Amino acid sequence: MTLSAHDYGKSRSPIALLLQLIGKVSIPAVVALAIISVMLFLPTVAVFQKALTENWSDIWRIATDSVAVSAYEVTFVTALGAACINGLFGTLLAWVLVRHDFPLKRVVDALIDIPFALPTAVAGLTLSTVYSPNGWIGAFFPDAKISFSRLGVGIAMIFISLPFVVRTVQPILMDLEKDIEEAATCLGANRWQVFFRVIFPTILPAILTGVALGFSRAVGEYGSTVIIASNLPYEDLIAPVLIIQRLEQYDYTGATVIGTVLLLFSLVSLIGINFLQVWGKRYEA
Amino acid sequence: MKPRRWKIELWVLNFIALSYLALVLVVPMANVFYQAFKDGMEGFWLTFSNEDFRSAAKLTITVAAIAVPLNTVFGLCAAWVLARHRFPGKAIVLSILDLPFSISPVVAGLMIVLLYGRNGWFGGWLEANNVRVVFAFPGIALASAFVSLPFVAREVIPVLEELGKDQEEAARTLGANSWQTFWRVIVPSIKWGLLYGVLLTNARAIGEFGAVSVVSGNIAGDTQTLPLFVETAYKEYQTQAAYSASVALALLAIVTLVAKNILASATKSGEKH
């Protein structure tokens, strides 16, 4: 008995089992898993853990105090407005880039990606100058205060979320067969009918995906918005700036609770965008 | 033959779309260069001998030199695992991989403070061992690596999926080991996607503002990166310095985009052969 137990231990010791397991799992898998755990999973858990050290009534009180609620309103409503404006003009831009020809089209097409590549601090700096009362564009609107107001925050959000709709709609429009449109025209549809009955339903999932991506990006934006805003509570203070202000006052709990609200929003929007993309592929094999 | 009215409508659509682009993007971009050079080259060059500017540029380059290789190795590993394997929870891993894109950079910075700050999870241990992460170089490097984490994986996954595993398996059957298969079979096929991913990682790591401003403390000459230098200079009414530094950062963005377009046409001509 003892001998067989000894033998058993020899061939299946925990260390041998562990080595066997490591032998099966490849090095890339170990590296990927380790970095995802340390860089993504652990930090996310840390935010929730810190928020939950408070009791629920305190969390609720901090998350819904009047400055925070007005910051959410400014952030989410302005971001949604910016995303919808880009939904409209982004679709138009994608259409123009796919279907029309004009000089310097390739340059214009490349310019669309600038907000992805330009550091946001530079975007905030130049937008606040251009849209200030003495700026190139602000000078045309002397009565409207654009820079250092909520309008300016909206402009910054439009800038940073501009490429999303264009880049999601463009490939769908390229794949759209002209035959279908021509068939519709031959069957007697006028151009409005062709657009609303044939083209629009096909590109709608892509438009919504682009709007959702842009909205999610605009909600989290900090670099360009903090520079163009005056950051006054109840006026143009956005949630990410409020987090920074709380951190500067060493109010880690306050910062974490508002950070948790934004983090939950990001997680929900990731899931929502996944569903939109699945919906967009519903006609694919 | 298109009717005349159709043509006019085309012109109107073009005009509206391009005016929008000009208002939101082209004019502000042109303004960066105008403001930097409007008082001549002297003011522009003066910024480059500014001590704070130099130290900020040095810090930013060092941060990128750490974040880019780290994220490239991670991105290759993650892309290979996600493109070649099916496992439970894969959809969750794919979603969480996108978290740095969807999360506010400020929350990313907050995460680092909550883990490595004085009262954070590892704060006590770090302090006992005399290691400073938050308000020091490691925190800035971590923040930049976090926000640029998914780019390489996101660019390489679709290329690997399209490639299929036939070639890899053929190489293995012919006796190549993992290392040889990686360098001789996988890398040559994914090189353009990989390079583009690396470029995007680099642009984001250099340009990151929100996450870095939470963890850096923004001490000029010490923990101030180039984007933080731009904001600080602007706030202190050193507009010339802010715009000169902005030109450096904007050129980086333009180089990234030009390279992207070259890479895209390289991929296309590769497909034709």
Side-chain angles (χ1 to χ4, degrees), chain A residues 39 49 86 89 96 100 113 125-126 128-129 131 136 158-159 162 191 220 223 266 270 274, chain B residues 6 9-10 14 20 23-25 28 31 34 95 102 104-105 121 146 209 234 243 246 260:
Chain A
M39 292 287 286
Q49 186 269 341
N86 273 329
F89 286 99
V96 163
H100 298 187
D113 278 332
L125 171 71
T126 184
S128 66
T129 308
Y131 284 92
W136 284 351
I158 286 175
F159 177 90
L162 176 82
R191 274 188 295 113
S266 305
L270 274 179
N274 251 328
Chain B
W6 190 201
E9 275 177 37
L10 279 183
N14 269 355
Y20 179 71
L23 273 180
V24 176
L25 210 152
N31 179 63
Y34 171 76
S95 296
S102 117
S104 174
W121 283 14
F146 179 91
F209 182 81
Y234 178 61
Y243 274 103
S246 290
K260 178 211 160 170

mmCIF file of all heavy atoms in Angstrom, chain A residues 39 49 86 89 96 100 113 125-126 128-129 131 136 158-159 162 191 220 223 266 270 274, chain B residues 6 9-10 14 20 23-25 28 31 34 95 102 104-105 121 146 209 234 243 246 260:
data_model
loop_
_atom_site.group_PDB
_atom_site.id
_atom_site.type_symbol
_atom_site.label_atom_id
_atom_site.label_comp_id
_atom_site.label_asym_id
_atom_site.label_seq_id
_atom_site.Cartn_x
_atom_site.Cartn_y
_atom_site.Cartn_z
ATOM 1 N N MET A 39 -2.342 44.299 -16.392
ATOM 2 C CA MET A 39 -2.562 45.640 -16.927
ATOM 3 C C MET A 39 -4.037 46.004 -17.056
ATOM 4 O O MET A 39 -4.381 47.181 -17.021
ATOM 5 C CB MET A 39 -1.894 45.772 -18.308
ATOM 6 C CG MET A 39 -0.391 45.738 -18.269
ATOM 7 S SD MET A 39 0.342 47.251 -17.617
ATOM 8 C CE MET A 39 0.096 48.387 -18.970
ATOM 9 N N GLN A 49 -13.149 47.647 -6.124
ATOM 10 C CA GLN A 49 -12.872 47.304 -4.731
ATOM 11 C C GLN A 49 -12.811 48.569 -3.882
ATOM 12 O O GLN A 49 -13.412 48.642 -2.815
ATOM 13 C CB GLN A 49 -11.557 46.521 -4.653
ATOM 14 C CG GLN A 49 -11.217 45.964 -3.279
ATOM 15 C CD GLN A 49 -10.365 46.925 -2.447
ATOM 16 O OE1 GLN A 49 -9.740 47.825 -3.001
ATOM 17 N NE2 GLN A 49 -10.384 46.750 -1.139
ATOM 18 N N ASN A 86 -21.792 64.119 -35.755
ATOM 19 C CA ASN A 86 -20.851 63.346 -36.564
ATOM 20 C C ASN A 86 -21.539 62.213 -37.299
ATOM 21 O O ASN A 86 -21.083 61.787 -38.356
ATOM 22 C CB ASN A 86 -19.723 62.799 -35.697
ATOM 23 C CG ASN A 86 -18.600 63.802 -35.557
ATOM 24 O OD1 ASN A 86 -18.356 64.589 -36.462
ATOM 25 N ND2 ASN A 86 -17.934 63.782 -34.428
ATOM 26 N N PHE A 89 -22.909 64.229 -40.443
ATOM 27 C CA PHE A 89 -21.872 64.720 -41.349
ATOM 28 C C PHE A 89 -20.842 63.637 -41.687
ATOM 29 O O PHE A 89 -20.252 63.663 -42.768
ATOM 30 C CB PHE A 89 -21.181 65.950 -40.755
ATOM 31 C CG PHE A 89 -22.034 67.177 -40.813
ATOM 32 C CD1 PHE A 89 -22.741 67.599 -39.704
ATOM 33 C CD2 PHE A 89 -22.141 67.901 -41.990
ATOM 34 C CE1 PHE A 89 -23.542 68.726 -39.757
ATOM 35 C CE2 PHE A 89 -22.943 69.028 -42.051
ATOM 36 C CZ PHE A 89 -23.639 69.441 -40.925
ATOM 37 N N VAL A 96 -19.415 61.126 -49.802
ATOM 38 C CA VAL A 96 -18.669 61.961 -50.740
ATOM 39 C C VAL A 96 -17.337 61.293 -51.104
ATOM 40 O O VAL A 96 -16.923 61.271 -52.253
ATOM 41 C CB VAL A 96 -18.448 63.360 -50.118
ATOM 42 C CG1 VAL A 96 -17.359 64.121 -50.842
ATOM 43 C CG2 VAL A 96 -19.752 64.147 -50.121
ATOM 44 N N HIS A 100 -17.907 60.295 -54.911
ATOM 45 C CA HIS A 100 -17.578 61.460 -55.729
ATOM 46 C C HIS A 100 -16.081 61.528 -55.987
ATOM 47 O O HIS A 100 -15.296 60.973 -55.237
ATOM 48 C CB HIS A 100 -18.013 62.764 -55.040
ATOM 49 C CG HIS A 100 -19.477 62.843 -54.819
ATOM 50 N ND1 HIS A 100 -20.093 63.968 -54.360
ATOM 51 C CD2 HIS A 100 -20.465 61.937 -54.987
ATOM 52 C CE1 HIS A 100 -21.384 63.747 -54.246
ATOM 53 N NE2 HIS A 100 -21.636 62.520 -54.609
ATOM 54 N N ASP A 113 -8.218 60.888 -40.445
ATOM 55 C CA ASP A 113 -7.643 60.158 -39.317
ATOM 56 C C ASP A 113 -6.868 61.043 -38.340
ATOM 57 O O ASP A 113 -6.377 60.551 -37.322
ATOM 58 C CB ASP A 113 -6.702 59.060 -39.836
ATOM 59 C CG ASP A 113 -7.470 57.825 -40.240
ATOM 60 O OD1 ASP A 113 -8.549 57.602 -39.675
ATOM 61 O OD2 ASP A 113 -6.991 57.087 -41.125
ATOM 62 N N LEU A 125 -5.622 72.891 -27.578
ATOM 63 C CA LEU A 125 -4.933 74.181 -27.703
ATOM 64 C C LEU A 125 -5.379 74.928 -28.953
ATOM 65 O O LEU A 125 -5.807 76.094 -28.887
ATOM 66 C CB LEU A 125 -3.420 73.919 -27.746
ATOM 67 C CG LEU A 125 -2.515 75.092 -28.086
ATOM 68 C CD1 LEU A 125 -2.493 76.076 -26.936
ATOM 69 C CD2 LEU A 125 -1.104 74.598 -28.384
ATOM 70 N N THR A 126 -5.332 74.266 -30.102
ATOM 71 C CA THR A 126 -5.633 74.975 -31.338
ATOM 72 C C THR A 126 -7.126 75.259 -31.474
ATOM 73 O O THR A 126 -7.524 76.328 -31.942
ATOM 74 C CB THR A 126 -5.072 74.223 -32.576
ATOM 75 O OG1 THR A 126 -5.328 75.010 -33.723
ATOM 76 C CG2 THR A 126 -5.694 72.861 -32.757
ATOM 77 N N SER A 128 -9.193 75.891 -29.014
ATOM 78 C CA SER A 128 -9.569 77.010 -28.149
ATOM 79 C C SER A 128 -9.100 78.336 -28.738
ATOM 80 O O SER A 128 -9.743 79.364 -28.546
ATOM 81 C CB SER A 128 -9.054 76.806 -26.723
ATOM 82 O OG SER A 128 -7.665 76.834 -26.695
ATOM 83 N N THR A 129 -7.987 78.320 -29.487
ATOM 84 C CA THR A 129 -7.546 79.548 -30.161
ATOM 85 C C THR A 129 -8.456 79.885 -31.342
ATOM 86 O O THR A 129 -8.914 81.018 -31.484
ATOM 87 C CB THR A 129 -6.094 79.397 -30.666
ATOM 88 O OG1 THR A 129 -5.283 78.962 -29.590
ATOM 89 C CG2 THR A 129 -5.569 80.707 -31.213
ATOM 90 N N TYR A 131 -11.500 79.025 -32.027
ATOM 91 C CA TYR A 131 -12.887 79.341 -31.692
ATOM 92 C C TYR A 131 -13.015 80.422 -30.610
ATOM 93 O O TYR A 131 -14.092 80.659 -30.099
ATOM 94 C CB TYR A 131 -13.645 78.069 -31.279
ATOM 95 C CG TYR A 131 -14.017 77.208 -32.471
ATOM 96 C CD1 TYR A 131 -13.178 76.196 -32.910
ATOM 97 C CD2 TYR A 131 -15.190 77.446 -33.168
ATOM 98 C CE1 TYR A 131 -13.499 75.424 -34.015
ATOM 99 C CE2 TYR A 131 -15.527 76.675 -34.273
ATOM 100 C CZ TYR A 131 -14.682 75.674 -34.692
ATOM 101 O OH TYR A 131 -15.011 74.925 -35.788
ATOM 102 N N TRP A 136 -9.697 82.543 -35.827
ATOM 103 C CA TRP A 136 -10.084 82.518 -37.234
ATOM 104 C C TRP A 136 -11.573 82.245 -37.414
ATOM 105 O O TRP A 136 -12.220 82.841 -38.266
ATOM 106 C CB TRP A 136 -9.275 81.462 -37.974
ATOM 107 C CG TRP A 136 -7.865 81.896 -38.250
ATOM 108 C CD1 TRP A 136 -7.356 83.141 -38.055
ATOM 109 C CD2 TRP A 136 -6.811 81.099 -38.756
ATOM 110 N NE1 TRP A 136 -6.043 83.164 -38.413
ATOM 111 C CE2 TRP A 136 -5.678 81.929 -38.855
ATOM 112 C CE3 TRP A 136 -6.701 79.768 -39.146
ATOM 113 C CZ2 TRP A 136 -4.450 81.461 -39.323
ATOM 114 C CZ3 TRP A 136 -5.492 79.304 -39.615
ATOM 115 C CH2 TRP A 136 -4.369 80.138 -39.702
ATOM 116 N N ILE A 158 -16.662 66.901 -30.917
ATOM 117 C CA ILE A 158 -16.893 66.630 -32.338
ATOM 118 C C ILE A 158 -15.562 66.302 -33.016
ATOM 119 O O ILE A 158 -15.440 65.342 -33.772
ATOM 120 C CB ILE A 158 -17.561 67.844 -33.020
ATOM 121 C CG1 ILE A 158 -19.023 67.943 -32.599
ATOM 122 C CG2 ILE A 158 -17.457 67.736 -34.544
ATOM 123 C CD1 ILE A 158 -19.737 69.174 -33.127
ATOM 124 N N PHE A 159 -14.534 67.102 -32.702
ATOM 125 C CA PHE A 159 -13.218 66.889 -33.313
ATOM 126 C C PHE A 159 -12.703 65.485 -33.042
ATOM 127 O O PHE A 159 -12.353 64.755 -33.960
ATOM 128 C CB PHE A 159 -12.222 67.934 -32.787
ATOM 129 C CG PHE A 159 -10.817 67.760 -33.315
ATOM 130 C CD1 PHE A 159 -10.424 68.381 -34.481
ATOM 131 C CD2 PHE A 159 -9.896 66.983 -32.637
ATOM 132 C CE1 PHE A 159 -9.134 68.226 -34.977
ATOM 133 C CE2 PHE A 159 -8.599 66.810 -33.119
ATOM 134 C CZ PHE A 159 -8.229 67.440 -34.290
ATOM 135 N N LEU A 162 -14.716 62.583 -34.721
ATOM 136 C CA LEU A 162 -15.029 62.700 -36.145
ATOM 137 C C LEU A 162 -14.746 61.436 -36.967
ATOM 138 O O LEU A 162 -15.567 61.032 -37.788
ATOM 139 C CB LEU A 162 -14.265 63.903 -36.742
ATOM 140 C CG LEU A 162 -14.404 64.097 -38.248
ATOM 141 C CD1 LEU A 162 -15.691 64.824 -38.566
ATOM 142 C CD2 LEU A 162 -13.225 64.867 -38.810
ATOM 143 N N ARG A 191 -34.725 59.023 -56.533
ATOM 144 C CA ARG A 191 -33.466 58.963 -55.784
ATOM 145 C C ARG A 191 -33.662 58.977 -54.274
ATOM 146 O O ARG A 191 -32.909 58.348 -53.546
ATOM 147 C CB ARG A 191 -32.529 60.073 -56.238
ATOM 148 C CG ARG A 191 -31.731 59.615 -57.450
ATOM 149 C CD ARG A 191 -30.671 60.549 -57.855
ATOM 150 N NE ARG A 191 -31.241 61.808 -58.298
ATOM 151 C CZ ARG A 191 -31.079 62.952 -57.647
ATOM 152 N NH1 ARG A 191 -30.354 62.983 -56.564
ATOM 153 N NH2 ARG A 191 -31.619 64.043 -58.104
ATOM 154 N N GLY A 220 -15.360 60.007 -22.457
ATOM 155 C CA GLY A 220 -14.140 59.850 -21.677
ATOM 156 C C GLY A 220 -13.098 60.916 -21.938
ATOM 157 O O GLY A 220 -12.121 61.019 -21.212
ATOM 158 N N GLY A 223 -8.158 65.466 -22.509
ATOM 159 C CA GLY A 223 -7.102 66.392 -22.947
ATOM 160 C C GLY A 223 -7.607 67.616 -23.683
ATOM 161 O O GLY A 223 -7.299 68.754 -23.318
ATOM 162 N N SER A 266 -18.323 52.609 -19.669
ATOM 163 C CA SER A 266 -17.445 52.066 -20.707
ATOM 164 C C SER A 266 -17.717 50.590 -20.935
ATOM 165 O O SER A 266 -17.758 50.122 -22.075
ATOM 166 C CB SER A 266 -15.974 52.214 -20.324
ATOM 167 O OG SER A 266 -15.676 53.527 -20.027
ATOM 168 N N LEU A 270 -19.058 48.953 -24.361
ATOM 169 C CA LEU A 270 -18.312 47.903 -25.082
ATOM 170 C C LEU A 270 -19.249 46.776 -25.484
ATOM 171 O O LEU A 270 -19.211 46.282 -26.605
ATOM 172 C CB LEU A 270 -17.203 47.339 -24.194
ATOM 173 C CG LEU A 270 -15.870 48.071 -24.183
ATOM 174 C CD1 LEU A 270 -14.903 47.378 -23.240
ATOM 175 C CD2 LEU A 270 -15.286 48.124 -25.577
ATOM 176 N N ASN A 274 -20.485 45.747 -29.300
ATOM 177 C CA ASN A 274 -20.372 44.365 -29.772
ATOM 178 C C ASN A 274 -21.662 43.890 -30.410
ATOM 179 O O ASN A 274 -21.660 43.282 -31.479
ATOM 180 C CB ASN A 274 -20.037 43.455 -28.589
ATOM 181 C CG ASN A 274 -18.616 42.965 -28.674
ATOM 182 O OD1 ASN A 274 -18.108 42.781 -29.766
ATOM 183 N ND2 ASN A 274 -17.979 42.774 -27.545
ATOM 184 N N TRP B 6 -28.846 66.874 -61.011
ATOM 185 C CA TRP B 6 -28.088 65.847 -60.298
ATOM 186 C C TRP B 6 -26.676 66.349 -60.010
ATOM 187 O O TRP B 6 -26.151 66.234 -58.910
ATOM 188 C CB TRP B 6 -28.087 64.644 -61.206
ATOM 189 C CG TRP B 6 -27.589 63.292 -60.754
ATOM 190 C CD1 TRP B 6 -27.185 62.296 -61.592
ATOM 191 C CD2 TRP B 6 -27.458 62.757 -59.445
ATOM 192 N NE1 TRP B 6 -26.811 61.185 -60.868
ATOM 193 C CE2 TRP B 6 -26.961 61.444 -59.548
ATOM 194 C CE3 TRP B 6 -27.688 63.280 -58.168
ATOM 195 C CZ2 TRP B 6 -26.710 60.636 -58.447
ATOM 196 C CZ3 TRP B 6 -27.435 62.474 -57.057
ATOM 197 C CH2 TRP B 6 -26.949 61.168 -57.220
ATOM 198 N N GLU B 9 -26.588 69.038 -57.380
ATOM 199 C CA GLU B 9 -26.748 68.436 -56.053
ATOM 200 C C GLU B 9 -25.450 67.808 -55.580
ATOM 201 O O GLU B 9 -25.100 67.882 -54.401
ATOM 202 C CB GLU B 9 -27.871 67.400 -56.080
ATOM 203 C CG GLU B 9 -29.232 68.030 -55.875
ATOM 204 C CD GLU B 9 -30.352 67.014 -55.972
ATOM 205 O OE1 GLU B 9 -30.165 65.882 -55.508
ATOM 206 O OE2 GLU B 9 -31.392 67.375 -56.546
ATOM 207 N N LEU B 10 -24.729 67.174 -56.498
ATOM 208 C CA LEU B 10 -23.428 66.604 -56.145
ATOM 209 C C LEU B 10 -22.495 67.683 -55.605
ATOM 210 O O LEU B 10 -21.830 67.500 -54.588
ATOM 211 C CB LEU B 10 -22.773 65.985 -57.380
ATOM 212 C CG LEU B 10 -23.231 64.603 -57.789
ATOM 213 C CD1 LEU B 10 -22.433 64.125 -58.988
ATOM 214 C CD2 LEU B 10 -23.060 63.635 -56.638
ATOM 215 N N ASN B 14 -20.845 67.831 -51.872
ATOM 216 C CA ASN B 14 -19.405 67.973 -51.712
ATOM 217 C C ASN B 14 -19.065 69.190 -50.867
ATOM 218 O O ASN B 14 -18.246 69.124 -49.947
ATOM 219 C CB ASN B 14 -18.740 68.174 -53.084
ATOM 220 C CG ASN B 14 -18.317 66.866 -53.697
ATOM 221 O OD1 ASN B 14 -18.433 65.832 -53.055
ATOM 222 N ND2 ASN B 14 -17.854 66.918 -54.924
ATOM 223 N N TYR B 20 -17.661 71.271 -43.610
ATOM 224 C CA TYR B 20 -17.687 70.725 -42.248
ATOM 225 C C TYR B 20 -16.283 70.296 -41.836
ATOM 226 O O TYR B 20 -15.800 70.652 -40.758
ATOM 227 C CB TYR B 20 -18.647 69.534 -42.215
ATOM 228 C CG TYR B 20 -18.746 68.857 -40.872
ATOM 229 C CD1 TYR B 20 -19.391 69.489 -39.807
ATOM 230 C CD2 TYR B 20 -18.216 67.591 -40.654
ATOM 231 C CE1 TYR B 20 -19.496 68.875 -38.569
ATOM 232 C CE2 TYR B 20 -18.322 66.969 -39.428
ATOM 233 C CZ TYR B 20 -18.963 67.611 -38.390
ATOM 234 O OH TYR B 20 -19.068 67.009 -37.166
ATOM 235 N N LEU B 23 -14.116 73.357 -41.127
ATOM 236 C CA LEU B 23 -14.423 74.038 -39.870
ATOM 237 C C LEU B 23 -13.876 73.271 -38.669
ATOM 238 O O LEU B 23 -13.314 73.852 -37.745
ATOM 239 C CB LEU B 23 -15.944 74.151 -39.703
ATOM 240 C CG LEU B 23 -16.618 75.353 -40.325
ATOM 241 C CD1 LEU B 23 -18.109 75.290 -40.064
ATOM 242 C CD2 LEU B 23 -16.052 76.635 -39.718
ATOM 243 N N VAL B 24 -14.085 71.962 -38.678
ATOM 244 C CA VAL B 24 -13.750 71.177 -37.494
ATOM 245 C C VAL B 24 -12.284 70.779 -37.486
ATOM 246 O O VAL B 24 -11.658 70.722 -36.430
ATOM 247 C CB VAL B 24 -14.660 69.931 -37.421
ATOM 248 C CG1 VAL B 24 -14.262 69.051 -36.263
ATOM 249 C CG2 VAL B 24 -16.105 70.352 -37.284
ATOM 250 N N LEU B 25 -11.714 70.532 -38.670
ATOM 251 C CA LEU B 25 -10.417 69.875 -38.679
ATOM 252 C C LEU B 25 -9.306 70.640 -39.394
ATOM 253 O O LEU B 25 -8.227 70.839 -38.842
ATOM 254 C CB LEU B 25 -10.615 68.502 -39.345
ATOM 255 C CG LEU B 25 -9.707 67.371 -38.884
ATOM 256 C CD1 LEU B 25 -10.408 66.060 -39.051
ATOM 257 C CD2 LEU B 25 -8.425 67.384 -39.649
ATOM 258 N N PRO B 28 -8.373 74.296 -37.752
ATOM 259 C CA PRO B 28 -7.602 74.162 -36.513
ATOM 260 C C PRO B 28 -6.205 73.592 -36.742
ATOM 261 O O PRO B 28 -5.239 74.007 -36.097
ATOM 262 C CB PRO B 28 -8.444 73.185 -35.681
ATOM 263 C CG PRO B 28 -9.826 73.341 -36.178
ATOM 264 C CD PRO B 28 -9.695 73.628 -37.636
ATOM 265 N N ASN B 31 -4.002 76.232 -38.132
ATOM 266 C CA ASN B 31 -3.729 77.209 -37.088
ATOM 267 C C ASN B 31 -2.512 76.824 -36.243
ATOM 268 O O ASN B 31 -1.759 77.699 -35.797
ATOM 269 C CB ASN B 31 -4.975 77.362 -36.198
ATOM 270 C CG ASN B 31 -4.773 78.341 -35.075
ATOM 271 O OD1 ASN B 31 -4.558 79.520 -35.302
ATOM 272 N ND2 ASN B 31 -4.805 77.839 -33.854
ATOM 273 N N TYR B 34 0.393 78.006 -38.248
ATOM 274 C CA TYR B 34 0.393 79.469 -38.349
ATOM 275 C C TYR B 34 0.879 80.100 -37.049
ATOM 276 O O TYR B 34 1.767 80.954 -37.045
ATOM 277 C CB TYR B 34 -1.009 79.968 -38.698
ATOM 278 C CG TYR B 34 -1.147 81.459 -38.604
ATOM 279 C CD1 TYR B 34 -0.616 82.280 -39.604
ATOM 280 C CD2 TYR B 34 -1.776 82.050 -37.510
ATOM 281 C CE1 TYR B 34 -0.712 83.659 -39.505
ATOM 282 C CE2 TYR B 34 -1.875 83.424 -37.413
ATOM 283 C CZ TYR B 34 -1.342 84.231 -38.404
ATOM 284 O OH TYR B 34 -1.432 85.583 -38.307
ATOM 285 N N SER B 95 -13.351 41.624 -25.511
ATOM 286 C CA SER B 95 -13.981 42.880 -25.094
ATOM 287 C C SER B 95 -13.098 43.642 -24.119
ATOM 288 O O SER B 95 -12.929 44.852 -24.235
ATOM 289 C CB SER B 95 -15.337 42.625 -24.447
ATOM 290 O OG SER B 95 -16.217 42.075 -25.365
ATOM 291 N N SER B 102 -11.982 52.418 -24.727
ATOM 292 C CA SER B 102 -13.308 52.921 -24.420
ATOM 293 C C SER B 102 -13.326 53.681 -23.094
ATOM 294 O O SER B 102 -14.175 54.537 -22.868
ATOM 295 C CB SER B 102 -14.297 51.759 -24.424
ATOM 296 O OG SER B 102 -14.880 51.565 -23.191
ATOM 297 N N SER B 104 -12.229 56.283 -20.073
ATOM 298 C CA SER B 104 -11.646 57.625 -20.000
ATOM 299 C C SER B 104 -10.195 57.519 -19.537
ATOM 300 O O SER B 104 -9.901 56.792 -18.595
ATOM 301 C CB SER B 104 -12.432 58.477 -19.008
ATOM 302 O OG SER B 104 -11.790 59.710 -18.841
ATOM 303 N N PRO B 105 -9.280 58.229 -20.215
ATOM 304 C CA PRO B 105 -7.883 58.161 -19.782
ATOM 305 C C PRO B 105 -7.700 58.584 -18.324
ATOM 306 O O PRO B 105 -6.783 58.107 -17.649
ATOM 307 C CB PRO B 105 -7.161 59.130 -20.721
ATOM 308 C CG PRO B 105 -8.168 59.698 -21.631
ATOM 309 C CD PRO B 105 -9.470 59.043 -21.421
ATOM 310 N N TRP B 121 -3.109 49.341 -3.387
ATOM 311 C CA TRP B 121 -2.906 47.933 -3.055
ATOM 312 C C TRP B 121 -1.435 47.612 -2.785
ATOM 313 O O TRP B 121 -1.101 46.954 -1.826
ATOM 314 C CB TRP B 121 -3.391 47.050 -4.218
ATOM 315 C CG TRP B 121 -4.872 46.918 -4.283
ATOM 316 C CD1 TRP B 121 -5.793 47.678 -3.632
ATOM 317 C CD2 TRP B 121 -5.602 45.963 -5.039
ATOM 318 N NE1 TRP B 121 -7.053 47.260 -3.952
ATOM 319 C CE2 TRP B 121 -6.966 46.199 -4.818
ATOM 320 C CE3 TRP B 121 -5.235 44.927 -5.907
ATOM 321 C CZ2 TRP B 121 -7.964 45.443 -5.419
ATOM 322 C CZ3 TRP B 121 -6.229 44.182 -6.510
ATOM 323 C CH2 TRP B 121 -7.582 44.432 -6.252
ATOM 324 N N PHE B 146 -0.632 51.486 -20.799
ATOM 325 C CA PHE B 146 -2.040 51.090 -20.651
ATOM 326 C C PHE B 146 -2.889 51.617 -21.800
ATOM 327 O O PHE B 146 -3.608 50.850 -22.441
ATOM 328 C CB PHE B 146 -2.592 51.601 -19.316
ATOM 329 C CG PHE B 146 -4.044 51.262 -19.099
ATOM 330 C CD1 PHE B 146 -4.410 50.091 -18.451
ATOM 331 C CD2 PHE B 146 -5.045 52.106 -19.541
ATOM 332 C CE1 PHE B 146 -5.745 49.766 -18.270
ATOM 333 C CE2 PHE B 146 -6.390 51.800 -19.354
ATOM 334 C CZ PHE B 146 -6.731 50.625 -18.711
ATOM 335 N N PHE B 209 -2.354 62.254 -22.761
ATOM 336 C CA PHE B 209 -2.429 63.410 -21.868
ATOM 337 C C PHE B 209 -3.148 63.078 -20.566
ATOM 338 O O PHE B 209 -2.600 63.248 -19.480
ATOM 339 C CB PHE B 209 -3.133 64.554 -22.600
ATOM 340 C CG PHE B 209 -3.228 65.806 -21.805
ATOM 341 C CD1 PHE B 209 -2.162 66.682 -21.726
ATOM 342 C CD2 PHE B 209 -4.387 66.110 -21.111
ATOM 343 C CE1 PHE B 209 -2.246 67.835 -20.973
ATOM 344 C CE2 PHE B 209 -4.475 67.265 -20.351
ATOM 345 C CZ PHE B 209 -3.400 68.128 -20.288
ATOM 346 N N TYR B 234 0.699 76.868 -22.324
ATOM 347 C CA TYR B 234 -0.483 77.628 -22.740
ATOM 348 C C TYR B 234 -1.117 78.336 -21.540
ATOM 349 O O TYR B 234 -1.476 79.508 -21.610
ATOM 350 C CB TYR B 234 -1.480 76.672 -23.397
ATOM 351 C CG TYR B 234 -2.773 77.317 -23.822
ATOM 352 C CD1 TYR B 234 -2.790 78.343 -24.765
ATOM 353 C CD2 TYR B 234 -3.988 76.890 -23.288
ATOM 354 C CE1 TYR B 234 -3.976 78.923 -25.161
ATOM 355 C CE2 TYR B 234 -5.182 77.462 -23.685
ATOM 356 C CZ TYR B 234 -5.173 78.481 -24.614
ATOM 357 O OH TYR B 234 -6.342 79.058 -25.010
ATOM 358 N N TYR B 243 2.825 76.418 -28.932
ATOM 359 C CA TYR B 243 2.604 76.069 -30.336
ATOM 360 C C TYR B 243 3.831 75.435 -30.967
ATOM 361 O O TYR B 243 3.713 74.577 -31.850
ATOM 362 C CB TYR B 243 2.114 77.283 -31.127
ATOM 363 C CG TYR B 243 0.624 77.421 -31.032
ATOM 364 C CD1 TYR B 243 0.028 78.370 -30.201
ATOM 365 C CD2 TYR B 243 -0.199 76.572 -31.753
ATOM 366 C CE1 TYR B 243 -1.351 78.467 -30.106
ATOM 367 C CE2 TYR B 243 -1.580 76.660 -31.661
ATOM 368 C CZ TYR B 243 -2.152 77.610 -30.840
ATOM 369 O OH TYR B 243 -3.509 77.687 -30.742
ATOM 370 N N SER B 246 3.649 72.015 -30.033
ATOM 371 C CA SER B 246 2.528 71.401 -30.742
ATOM 372 C C SER B 246 2.910 71.015 -32.164
ATOM 373 O O SER B 246 2.449 69.992 -32.677
ATOM 374 C CB SER B 246 1.342 72.366 -30.793
ATOM 375 O OG SER B 246 0.807 72.508 -29.514
ATOM 376 N N LYS B 260 0.933 55.344 -42.585
ATOM 377 C CA LYS B 260 -0.246 54.474 -42.654
ATOM 378 C C LYS B 260 -0.691 54.283 -44.095
ATOM 379 O O LYS B 260 -0.983 53.168 -44.526
ATOM 380 C CB LYS B 260 -1.390 55.093 -41.854
ATOM 381 C CG LYS B 260 -2.643 54.271 -41.927
ATOM 382 C CD LYS B 260 -3.902 55.107 -41.837
ATOM 383 C CE LYS B 260 -5.052 54.294 -42.415
ATOM 384 N NZ LYS B 260 -6.339 54.894 -42.175
#
